[in-house]
Amino acid sequence: MKVLGIECSSLTASVAVSVDGEMAAEYTLNQKKTHSQTILPMIDQMLGLLEMEAADLDGIAAAAGPGSFTGLRIGAATAKGIGLVIKKPLISVPTMDAMAFGLFGADGILCPMLDARRGNVYTGLYEYRDEFRVLKKQCLISVKDLIAELNASAEGKRVIFFGDGADANRALIEEAVKVPFVFAPAPSNRQRAASVAALGEKLLLEGKTVSAAEFAPDYLRKSQAERERDVAEKLGVMDQLAAGIVVRNPDGTDA
């Protein structure tokens, strides 16, 4: 069982190959080059070193989101392109789940965080001692609300914070979190395709796959362009009302 993992949900670009439950290779870059410049060459070089062809893969696991809209689109396009060419299934791996899946044996509540700007983060809550448990599904939440939830529900368990959202909000976490907590060290502090591939292989064995055509990122919120369009449309309606123009619904009733 050979699974390619692709992780492009933030600044980190990472690819990996899992073979029968063992990690055969992982290639990770954390720099400012765009993923469109790096991901395909990374995959090509890694498969070459493994003396493996793309057609040898049994599936492609991709971090499906949340995260950077651009990064997720590049990762999805890459995974879909490979899947269509080699006619193999894709595995949609939630970004937060994959981040937590790499911390087997950690004593405490796992809290991956990706910076979503304006005081918000993408996060989820997990435990991974004897088995992987999802305590809170991945979501978009304000950092203050997340901290309040942890203070109320962690019940004295240690919380392990990691991800660029934890770095961006470190001062607030240190000030406001009342339960025991630590920040994960560098090897566990960013997304890794090894976790995407490993969790993807598990999901593949469970039959949880989609076709390349069906695969789509899970953004958890609208893009900035979509939000700005919604605001513009709303302001347009308000301007019409202010001008005395009656806006009507399709059925003829007043809006």
Side-chain angles (χ1 to χ4, degrees):
M1 180 70 70
K2 301 179 180 69
V3 175
L4 170 66
I6 300 173
E7 167 56 85
C8 297
S9 60
S10 71
L11 183 63
T12 301
S14 186
V15 294
V17 173
S18 173
V19 179
D20 295 332
E22 295 185 2
M23 202 51 51
E26 182 181 25
Y27 188 170
T28 299
L29 291 174
N30 189 10
Q31 57 177 346
K32 293 185 178 180
K33 284 188 177 181
T34 63
H35 297 320
S36 59
Q37 294 176 280
T38 58
I39 285 296
L40 280 174
M42 289 166 65
I43 293 172
D44 183 61
Q45 185 176 358
M46 181 177 62
L47 292 179
L49 290 170
L50 290 172
E51 298 181 343
M52 185 184 298
E53 301 288 340
D56 297 329
L57 298 168
D58 295 291
I60 302 99
S68 158
F69 281 72
T70 301
L72 291 173
R73 290 188 184 108
I74 293 170
T78 303
K80 288 165 74 74
I82 296 172
L84 286 168
V85 170
I86 67 174
K87 297 180 173 58
K88 296 293 174 65
L90 268 61
I91 306 104
S92 179
V93 179
T95 302
M96 299 293 106
D97 293 22
M99 290 181 70
F101 197 74
L103 272 71
F104 171 79
D107 182 16
I109 296 174
L110 306 176
C111 184
M113 301 169 68
L114 289 185
D115 187 15
R117 310 290 177 85
R118 298 182 181 180
N120 299 311
V121 290
Y122 298 113
T123 190
L125 299 177
Y126 307 84
E127 285 184 335
Y128 196 5
R129 295 298 299 277
D130 298 324
E131 61 179 353
F132 186 66
R133 297 179 57 212
V134 179
L135 306 178
K136 179 184 180 68
K137 289 184 178 181
Q138 59 179 24
C139 63
L140 175 67
I141 189 173
S142 75
V143 180
K144 291 182 179 179
D145 286 347
L146 173 62
I147 290 174
E149 182 176 334
L150 288 169
N151 285 339
S153 63
E155 299 177 348
K157 292 183 179 179
R158 183 178 68 162
V159 179
I160 303 171
F161 293 103
F162 53 105
D164 62 23
D167 293 341
N169 294 281
R170 189 181 186 108
L172 179 57
I173 290 170
E174 291 176 335
E175 176 186 351
V177 173
K178 305 304 180 186
V179 296
F181 68 90
V182 294
F183 293 95
S188 303
N189 195 38
R190 290 293 186 268
Q191 298 96 305
R192 294 182 59 178
S195 295
V196 175
L199 184 52
E201 184 175 344
K202 178 177 182 294
L203 296 173
L204 176 61
L205 291 170
E206 295 172 0
K208 297 178 180 178
T209 65
V210 296
S211 69
E214 294 172 323
F215 182 87
D218 181 12
Y219 300 116
L220 287 190
R221 71 173 178 182
K222 294 180 179 180
S223 68
Q224 181 177 347
E226 290 173 315
R227 295 195 301 272
E228 290 176 352
R229 182 193 64 196
D230 290 345
V231 170
E233 289 178 349
K234 184 176 180 180
L235 289 175
V237 170
M238 296 299 291
D239 289 342
Q240 291 183 57
L241 290 174
I245 300 173
V246 178
V247 180
R248 295 192 180 278
N249 294 316
D251 62 1
T253 60
D254 291 346

